[in-house]
Amino acid sequence: MAISKDKKRAIIAKLTDAFKEASAIAFVGFTKLTVKDASRLRTELSQKGVRYFVAKKTLIRRALAEREYQGEVPVLPGEIAVAWTKGAEVTAPASGVYEFGKKMKGALALLGGVFEGAFLDAEKMTVIATIPPMIVLRGMFVNVINSPIQGLVVALDKIREKKI
């Protein structure tokens, strides 16, 4: 069914506003996704502060053209949705879609996205999706800092045991 011109303008305006505020955008390809699964996806993404919107490719391209991102728009085959975030966790759209896609076994896939003002293809967005959340990265950093200190304590303890 065709969409009226007013409805198209409204969708382009919504996407343009979303892209202006977005810190990261992921293009999502979905096939054979049931309404129940789509609702579950929206719920999981919204818990991470990610918005999800399905639109026609031509309307998405028009909204992207207004933002003038660097590079070329990745190939977007099939049905397309857009996931974006305004928050500090810039990997959230890609990681949320990637994790849900692993559960759905082929019904959902990352097709590309926008990260730090440039278009990225599916391969690069998948790499970004596998980056752990900030809280986990901080824990890993603390562990790296703690490791030499812990090694020193163990060595000093061994010396103490030999002297006793």
Side-chain angles (χ1 to χ4, degrees):
M1 189 167 116
I3 300 175
S4 69
K5 287 187 178 186
D6 291 334
K7 180 86 171 170
K8 287 179 183 179
R9 284 188 202 107
I11 291 171
I12 291 172
K14 178 179 180 166
L15 288 173
T16 303
D17 290 342
F19 295 160
K20 283 180 187 174
E21 299 172 357
S23 55
I25 303 167
F27 303 126
V28 183
F30 60 95
T31 54
K32 302 175 189 168
L33 193 66
T34 64
V35 173
K36 182 180 177 182
D37 292 334
S39 296
R40 211 171 62 205
L41 170 64
R42 286 179 199 273
T43 303
E44 284 186 23
L45 290 176
S46 68
Q47 290 172 352
K48 295 179 180 183
V50 177
R51 302 283 315 268
Y52 180 82
F53 188 74
V54 177
K56 288 187 171 190
K57 287 183 266 194
T58 54
L59 301 179
I60 293 171
R61 288 181 194 277
R62 284 186 187 173
L64 289 170
E66 293 181 21
R67 291 293 301 145
E68 298 179 5
Y69 293 114
Q70 296 175 0
E72 301 264 334
V73 178
V75 178
L76 303 174
E79 299 167 322
I80 303 299
V82 180
W84 72 92
T85 185
K86 301 177 197 175
E89 191 63 49
V90 294
T91 61
S95 64
V97 170
Y98 179 77
E99 291 299 321
F100 197 82
K102 286 196 310 189
K103 295 178 201 172
M104 297 307 300
K105 305 264 191 228
L108 200 67
L110 275 172
L111 300 176
V114 177
F115 194 77
E116 294 183 349
F119 289 110
L120 299 177
D121 61 0
E123 198 173 295
K124 291 178 183 173
M125 284 303 287
T126 303
V127 170
I128 290 171
T130 57
I131 296 173
M134 186 60 76
I135 194 161
V136 173
L137 289 174
R138 287 182 181 143
M140 292 167 71
F141 179 69
V142 168
N143 192 27
V144 167
I145 291 173
N146 192 29
S147 183
I149 297 168
Q150 186 178 6
L152 177 65
V153 169
V154 168
L156 290 173
D157 188 50
K158 295 292 182 186
I159 294 171
R160 182 189 59 81
E161 286 176 3
K162 283 184 178 180
K163 289 189 176 187
I164 293 180

